[in-house]
Amino acid sequence: MRIRGAVGLLLGLLCAVEAAKVNKHKPWIETTYHGIVTENDDKVLLDPPLIALDKDAPLRYAESFEVTFTKEGEICGFRIHGQNVPFEAVVLDKSTGEGVIRAKDKLDCELQKEHTFTIQAYDCGEGPEGDNMKKSHKATVHIRVNDVNEYSPVFKEKSYKTTVIEGKKYDSILKVEAVDADCSFQFSQICSYEIVTPDVPFSIDKDGNIKNTEKLNYSKDRMYKLTVTAYDCGKNRASEDVLVKINIKPTCKPSWQGFNKRIEYEPGTGSLALFPSMHLETCEEPITSIQASIMLETNHIGKGCDRDTYSEKSLHKLCGASTGTVELLPAPSTSANWTVGLPTDNGHDSDQVFEFNGTQAIKVPEGVVSTTLKEPFTISVWMRHGPGSREKETILCNSDKTEMNRHHYSLYVHNCRLVLLLRQEPTESENYKPAEFHWKLDQVCDKEWHHYVLNIEFPAVTLFVDGATFEPFLVTEDYPLHASKIETQLTIGACWQGGSARMTQYFRGNLAGLMIRSGKLENKKVIDCLYTCKEGLDVQLPEEVASAVKVEFNPNQSSLSLEGDDIESFEKVMQHISYLNSRQFPTPGIRHLRVTTTVKCFNEETCISVPDSEGYVMVLQPEEPKISLSGIDHFARGAAEFESTEGVTLFPELRIVSTITREVEVEAETETEGEDDPTVQETVVSEEIMHNLDTCEVTVVGDDLNGDHESLEVDLAQIQQRTLEMSSSNVGMVITGVNTMANYEQVLHLIRYRNWHTEALFDRKFKLVCSELNGRYISNDFKVEVNVIHTANPMDHANNAMVQPQFINQVQHASVDLSGHNLMNTHQASVVPSAATIVIVVCVSFLVFMIILGVFRIRAAHQSTMRDQESGKENEMDWDDSALTITVNPMETYEDQHSSEEEGDEEEEESEDGEEEDDITSAESDSSEDEGGEQEDQQGSSRQQQLEWDDSTLNY
């Protein structure tokens, strides 16, 4: 019974197993899966895990029970559905249905962070062949690719630059920014920035904002250079640090920018722009109007500015007041010496100024001023005075010379008032008449130079100060002077008291150009010409801004004012302001510049303050001209010419040349190792220039001229035709006036020397000196020696039928030493030979001939030696045989001698090799010795055969 039951049970189990082999159910999986994978890994972590279940799988009742002979219910695989899905699903255990998803290739989070696809499980089917295989439903899988910190931060800019104003603390000066290419939030975010540069007053926050930790100082550091780096949240440092430049700008102060404090002006270059790149910094304030004044300070130059430094008389002529002018403060000279001893500025670069310190005064010689008070006359003067004094300070005074203290007319300063005293001479009517004219002027005591012109046409007096007209504020009257025969004394710097014979009312200040002129200066242009400066400011307004900016100058153009409402137009006008000095030889030195500016805003009030801008113009030293006088400096003429009405011309071939010497840079090529190496060399170049002269003075060297029998003369008509003036004395002649060098040459050619008693005269020496700009530039001393040739009476001296021909010496000649061979004293009086002397001459003629021949041979040898030793010397005297009395040998005929002289002249011309010279002198004939000594000896011998020794002057 028990066996039967066991068999039945076994049969039941077998039936159940057989029934289970039928694949009835589909595998089952979750509907959604979420996975994470790291981009450098291939395994995906899924939630929930990938497991497929199948109901066809057998049941396990016990741990020891295993079914190994069926495959129904097993999971054979997973299938992924999607396009280009970089994942695959793998079954780990068929029986349990467990599987995994893994990446087929390396994933890149930066390319794709997430992937979504569907997955499906399928079982193994029935039987060995897997028939009737079942598939599960499709489940959605979301996989996120986790990032790896593989990239470092990179800054967006290669460098950063900004500008800040000093004295401020900023919340943020600038911001730097870096980026990270990683895909995840953690690794793609910049977590911090860091300033690598140590010890700088800056910090940076995590967002890259840089700020200063202390106030910055422009004077301490004008720019900071910082190195900045960045870190991502994965602690990766930036691949390259970045440079940050922070410029420190001074505190914004409204001012003129682009202004050079030193401006160099080269003479002769015309206008020079003073502010070519100037602009106004307004610190972004809204501006409605601008006013500016530009001041050129020239008070320290000459008489307030640069003017021509000719004498005041010459300046009056140049300005059109050419007649009747008398200069009372001339530069000391031989013809005007009353200013000798007065302190001056001792300068020739600018005008000559005379200083009066309250103890000095001068007397003007009698006859210098011939103006009478009955005729209109003009007084003009340059004056610098201040401060005021309660005492009278006399500029000009004409008073009684003796006995009395009456002032006929005077010009003086009293309590900052300019007063003209003008007492009338005795008349028939003894009525009160205007006597004192008072002007109260600030200019009198401001310690600045001013030009005063008084036109006096009694009873009217007109005053011009710096070209502006002023009327007297007070006129007092007085009786005319009583009749008197007392002479008057004209003084400057004080007033002469004839009764006590002393000076009073001394002047303290500076005077220059004091003039008295007969007649009025009614022409305003003449007055302006006398006052106008040769330097000043100038502006050439562009057309587009001419109407936008108003420009005004002061009379001497030392200042100008601008007014406008457009900054751009205003700046353009400022950039066209220039300095101009029209003098050929300006006064060198500094001219200070000042720009004063006022700015207004919309409320019509001064909103910002623009400080004054100061600088200076440096006028460079002009190239100084060298005035050279040249010509014939030694010649002889017969006594008859000196005694004639024409006289002897002193400077027949005078030349006046002026040159300047300057250094120029010249490029020169030098070969160095086969290559051309250009170098710069400095070369001195001399250039001839043209300019005026204002004085030429001829003086006698030695004894003064004796007016009884000698004089210097010149054609006055030619002098006046060239608007020059001439004055002469016993020491020489002075020609004055501003004129060209060519005109001075022509006039000097006309100067003649006359002497109508030449018996005891053998030579006369003169010196010529010319100058420009009142002695600022002076020529060389050109000395001329004139010898007198005395001829004997032909009736008494038959052997003197021929006289020595006239000869001339050029400026340069060889040096000849005649020590021990002085044949005759040039200052010894000539002696008329007697009949006995003639017999003696015939007897010793042969002996004299031999002596002369020996002397000439010694001379030729000595000249050759001296020429080698002193070839560089100039202006040395050649052999001077002007004092020798050479007579003709009676045995020789006049025709033979004449033909010999012509042949000698032709030989001298041929020896010069065709060179053309203006003047042929004996010195040039001697120079032919360098070319042939033998020819010189032959010529000397030929000459000696024609000449006979004249011992008529020998003492026995």
Side-chain angles (χ1 to χ4, degrees), residues 481-517:
L481 295 172
H482 296 293
S484 173
K485 295 183 180 180
I486 301 175
E487 295 181 352
T488 60
Q489 175 65 58
L490 183 62
T491 56
I492 301 173
C495 204
W496 175 255
Q497 299 290 80
S500 56
R502 64 185 181 90
M503 293 285 189
T504 60
Q505 302 175 6
Y506 284 97
F507 178 77
R508 293 176 178 83
N510 298 102
L511 298 176
L514 180 57
M515 306 283 296
I516 287 186
R517 178 181 182 273

Side-chain angles (χ1 to χ4, degrees), residues 241-311:
D241 298 338
V242 71
L243 178 64
V244 178
K245 295 181 181 180
I246 301 177
N247 292 313
I248 312 303
K249 185 178 179 182
T251 303
C252 184
K253 298 177 182 178
S255 62
W256 287 104
Q257 303 292 326
F259 174 50
N260 293 328
K261 290 189 176 182
R262 177 186 171 97
I263 305 163
E264 292 188 353
Y265 180 81
E266 185 175 351
T269 56
S271 295
L272 174 66
L274 297 176
F275 320 114
S277 29
M278 200 175 191
H279 66 277
L280 182 62
E281 174 61 61
T282 61
C283 295
E284 300 181 357
E285 289 286 344
I287 304 301
T288 58
S289 67
I290 312 173
Q291 294 178 345
S293 63
I294 297 89
M295 297 288 297
L296 178 69
E297 297 179 5
T298 59
N299 296 335
H300 61 292
I301 304 295
K303 300 189 293 287
C305 66
D306 212 0
R307 296 181 174 88
D308 283 329
T309 57
Y310 297 118
S311 67

